[in-house]
Amino acid sequence: MRIAMIGTGYVGLVSGACFSEFGVSVTCVDKDAGKIERLKRGEIPIYEPGLEQLVASNTAAGRLGFTTELKPAVVGADAVFIAVGTPSRRGDGHADLSYVFAAAAEIAEALAEAPADRTVVVTKSTVPVGTGRRVERILRNRLPHGRFDIASNPEFLREGSAIQDFMRPDRVVIGTDSEHARGVLGALYRPLYLLETPMVFTTLESAELIKYAANAFLATKITFINEMADLCEAVGADVQDIARGIGLDGRIGRKFLHAGPGFGGSCFPKDCQALIRTAEIAKRPLAVVDTVLRVNDARKRRMADRIAEACGGDVFGKTLAVLGLTFKPNTDDMRDSPSLSILPVLHEAGARIHAFDPEGMDEARKLMPELTYFGDAYATMEGADALVLITEWNEFRALDLERVKSLLRQPLVIDLRNIYKPDEMIAAGLTYHSIGRPPASQPGDKTLTEKPAGLRVIA
Ligand SMILES: NC(=O)c1ccc[n+]([C@@H]2O[C@H](COP(=O)([O-])OP(=O)(O)OC[C@H]3O[C@@H](n4cnc5c(N)ncnc54)[C@H](O)[C@@H]3O)[C@@H](O)[C@H]2O)c1
């Protein structure tokens, strides 16, 4: 089989490489000539574990190619996937579908030159319900007698574990009313049948909505546990025990119950926004999702205050060592990262910010040029008044605490991801603040139970 992947970003590149690993002949198309040039040289434009090897081996095997030319990639393909970006439209929060529609128009143009072929046009981008039908109309207007089929195949991979997610998904969702499209997509995903991956065959509309419903639900779960963390701080409970205590209930599940600074990333914020807009248009407002988004935005903004509070109420003239800038570990993606809501505010308040991230600094430099960037974790800490952990990269989980203490001017650690245990930090002589957990008790200190706020200075 032969397919074309239109858009070679996080989703298009990973999906294209994985389909080629399944034995399919894949051409990845992108408008960004620089990106395609790099890929042709074997350079991977994003950071995603395992991707470089996967792309290299499949390119060498002749199954994976890269081009800026859409037409030759599309003509003769069994299926054409649209995997372009659908960011929030500036101003109103609707999904910006201009890239999807532009790609659909280009596909229509290409197919107009290949009337004998039958092509399945598949939307892999996250698009609001009804978009597939609009893509169909764009194609039908240009190809009144053309042989094409429309399908929706939303993608659920997570950056940082994208290859594993694509190769071993919890499910594959395919929405179409065409028997031919079902056959072609079923054949493309056949290697997953061996793993007994559940296949959800449904309508175009349902497939489109499943993707938004999944992201909105996960965003709700995170926001729920974050609010529980706030309550824990007020009443002296431990949010990690709450998460375990409720997560062991199979109806709730243990994943996505980690309290933190609020969700960010390239999907949850914009997808919740777009879903809310879709629901408004349908006159079925989604009060829960709307609240989740508002609570999460407020939380991210509040994190700067919490850091300032932990620093004694003011960060003016202080140096903060910040570890982790990306929205989550194992990616270089900075889109909507909580660090973008927190650090500019602290800088504005007069803090000097020394930052390090294993993969996100190139992008972070463009978005936050006011920060000073360092080459490793310990270099950021030298002479700093506090250490702030924002993203839980593995390499930050086992810092040499003695060295941390000796490098910091004040032995103060503010951990927005709860990656350390309060007791081990106290034992190391550090003043430690985390999310939703009672401050570690110090020997003989009974007053702490009376002031359980997670970010209060306790030393
Ligand atoms: N990033 C994720 O983790 C993730 C997960 C699941 C779903 N999604 C969804 O997948 C879609 C793509 O997301 P992404 O993160 O890969 O975006 P991205 O911005 O990384 O990549 C999009 C690519 O499409 C290219 N492009 C735009 N218009 C084009 C055209 N007409 N022809 C050829 N190339 C074109 C851009 O140059 C860019 O390289 C979005 O709808 C997103 O919501 C993303």
Side-chain angles (χ1 to χ4, degrees), residues 336-458:
D336 259 318
S337 174
S339 68
L340 296 170
S341 308
I342 300 169
L343 301 179
V345 176
L346 293 168
H347 178 263
E348 204 47 29
R352 277 183 299 274
I353 301 191
H354 292 185
F356 170 70
D357 187 280
E359 295 293 337
M361 290 202 292
D362 286 348
E363 197 54 30
R365 274 194 187 94
K366 294 181 209 156
L367 300 166
M368 296 184 286
E370 66 275 25
L371 273 48
T372 310
Y373 295 90
F374 286 78
D376 74 84
Y378 294 107
T380 62
M381 297 176 207
E382 213 165 335
D385 296 287
L387 170 62
V388 183
L389 288 154
I390 297 189
T391 315
E392 68 280 30
W393 285 85
N394 271 344
E395 67 177 82
F396 304 150
R397 289 180 184 273
L399 293 170
D400 174 347
L401 297 180
E402 249 176 57
R403 196 167 164 202
V404 169
K405 184 164 183 252
S406 71
L407 287 170
L408 291 172
R409 188 160 40 202
Q410 310 285 338
L412 176 60
V413 177
I414 302 153
D415 175 3
L416 301 185
R417 296 289 181 175
N418 288 354
I419 59 183
Y420 285 96
K421 292 197 175 84
D423 285 335
E424 71 178 313
M425 299 304 266
I426 295 295
L430 295 159
T431 304
Y432 180 63
H433 301 275
S434 60
I435 300 282
R437 297 187 294 181
S441 53
Q442 301 195 50
D445 186 352
K446 297 285 178 236
T447 59
L448 286 172
T449 49
E450 291 155 26
K451 9 181 215 171
L455 282 177
R456 190 167 300 167
V457 178
I458 56 168

Side-chain angles (χ1 to χ4, degrees), residues 6-12 29-32 35 70 83-86 99 102-103 106 124-126 155-159 211 266-267 270-271 333 335:
I6 314 300
T8 309
Y10 287 87
V11 165
V29 183
D30 206 286
K31 282 214 160 324
D32 183 337
K35 194 178 264 190
L70 182 137
V84 300
T86 49
Y99 302 101
E106 287 178 65
K124 194 165 249 322
S125 300
T126 303
E155 185 49 59
F156 298 94
L157 62 78
R158 295 162 298 173
E159 288 173 20
K211 173 66 193 176
S266 61
C267 291
K270 73 151 175 88
D271 290 348
D333 201 341
R335 286 178 282 186

Side-chain angles (χ1 to χ4, degrees), residues 3 18-19 29 44 96 118 145 159 189 253 259 271 384 402 425:
I3 65 168
C18 290
F19 275 131
V29 183
I44 304 298
D96 178 353
R118 181 165 185 176
H145 310 293
E159 288 173 20
Y189 281 109
D271 290 348
E402 249 176 57
M425 299 304 266

Side-chain angles (χ1 to χ4, degrees), residues 15 18-19 22 155 162-169 189 192:
S15 308
C18 290
F19 275 131
F22 291 168
E155 185 49 59
I163 294 170
Q164 169 75 12
D165 289 348
F166 194 94
M167 297 285 197
R168 302 236 182 299
Y189 281 109
L192 299 183

Side-chain angles (χ1 to χ4, degrees), residues 16 22 28 67 73 75 96 98 116 124 131 155 184 188-189 205 239 246 252 352 367 405 409 428 433 440:
F22 291 168
C28 288
T67 182
V75 171
D96 178 353
S98 57
K124 194 165 249 322
T131 305
E155 185 49 59
V184 169
L188 280 171
Y189 281 109
E205 286 74 14
V239 73
I246 64 172
I252 295 174
R352 277 183 299 274
L367 300 166
K405 184 164 183 252
R409 188 160 40 202
H433 301 275

